[in-house]
Amino acid sequence: MTESSGDAAMRAAAERAETTRHRNIPWWDDLPVPNDTANLREGPDLHPACLPLLPLVGVWRGEGEVVYPTIEGPFRFGQQLTVSHDGRPFVQHEARAWLLDADGRIIRPAAREVGWWRPQPDETIELLLAHSSGIVEIFLGEPRTQTSWELATDAVIRTASAKDVTGAKRLYGLVNNGDLAYVEERAMMGQQLQPHTSAYLRRVAG
């Protein structure tokens, strides 16, 4: 009998869980309030408002590519994305990247960003991100399906030393039975909105 796509997805998820289900982000035993958790099997229950974001919760790691007319690239990078929660109606977002050479060796640390996904009663999503490069962005968007999310900037704020960024769009989605991929378009340095980064990440915890 041929395995259906649904059965294949469930089998693949079960296989991945054997290595990820026992891992989580560091835990503080003496914290007087609930710990953040990136593993839905541990810690506080996910707030009902965050159910549209449930598939994102976890720790993801993989590689991507960055391109833009104002850089010499394309360049390869590695990245870890942590999406966690503490039981309240938002989830935390923390991503850190590192540049890779053509052979996959680490050159140096690269971009970092932190923020929060805030689902709203009307099913829209606010995403607030602060970048180590001096940029703060507010994205607005919504789920496209149960496993994909599309957002675009509603506001961009820059420090005096930051690059001239004026807008961005992001599309996140689960692919290949549970891996996470995303693409980002960005308008900056006098250029129109166009592809900038993309990455393919696999779950390593949660």
Side-chain angles (χ1 to χ4, degrees):
M1 179 180 294
T2 302
E3 185 178 41
S4 70
S5 60
D7 290 340
M10 292 181 64
R11 177 178 54 78
E15 291 173 354
R16 283 192 304 275
E18 289 301 314
T19 58
T20 65
R21 67 189 306 155
H22 306 297
R23 303 186 71 186
N24 201 351
I25 56 179
W27 206 264
W28 294 93
D29 291 330
D30 59 349
L31 191 68
V33 293
N35 273 277
D36 286 349
T37 179
N39 189 326
L40 294 171
R41 302 172 184 84
E42 301 177 0
D45 291 336
L46 186 69
H47 192 283
C50 294
L51 289 177
L53 302 173
L54 183 151
L56 284 173
V57 176
V59 181
W60 308 84
R61 191 181 299 157
E63 293 187 9
E65 183 178 86
V66 55
V67 298
Y68 212 68
T70 57
I71 64 175
E72 294 182 0
F75 296 110
R76 292 175 61 192
F77 66 90
Q79 187 175 53
Q80 177 169 294
L81 169 63
T82 300
V83 181
S84 59
H85 75 98
D86 66 2
R88 289 184 286 174
F90 56 83
V91 299
Q92 186 198 23
H93 171 117
E94 180 178 4
R96 58 191 310 171
W98 46 94
L99 287 180
L100 301 171
D101 66 16
D103 297 317
R105 293 186 294 261
I106 298 172
I107 299 173
R108 61 173 174 80
R112 298 193 67 169
E113 60 187 33
V114 295
W116 291 268
W117 295 68
R118 293 166 35 88
Q120 300 301 305
D122 63 358
E123 300 184 355
T124 60
I125 298 171
E126 301 170 353
L127 172 60
L128 287 70
L129 290 180
H131 302 261
S132 58
S133 57
I135 298 164
V136 177
E137 298 169 322
I138 299 175
F139 288 82
L140 297 179
E142 59 188 5
R144 295 183 62 188
T145 67
Q146 291 182 332
T147 56
S148 64
W149 305 264
E150 186 171 21
L151 308 105
T153 48
D154 181 57
V156 180
I157 302 172
R158 298 178 288 110
T159 64
S161 61
K163 288 183 178 179
D164 179 21
V165 175
T166 57
K169 290 179 65 176
R170 290 191 179 187
L171 174 62
Y172 292 85
L174 297 192
V175 297
N176 295 335
N177 296 328
D179 296 332
L180 178 63
Y182 75 85
V183 294
E184 181 190 64
E185 297 179 9
R186 189 163 286 268
M188 61 182 181
M189 307 303 290
Q191 302 290 320
Q192 294 183 341
L193 191 71
Q194 59 192 286
H196 180 46
T197 58
S198 60
Y200 187 99
L201 312 175
R202 292 182 172 86
R203 182 183 294 276
V204 296

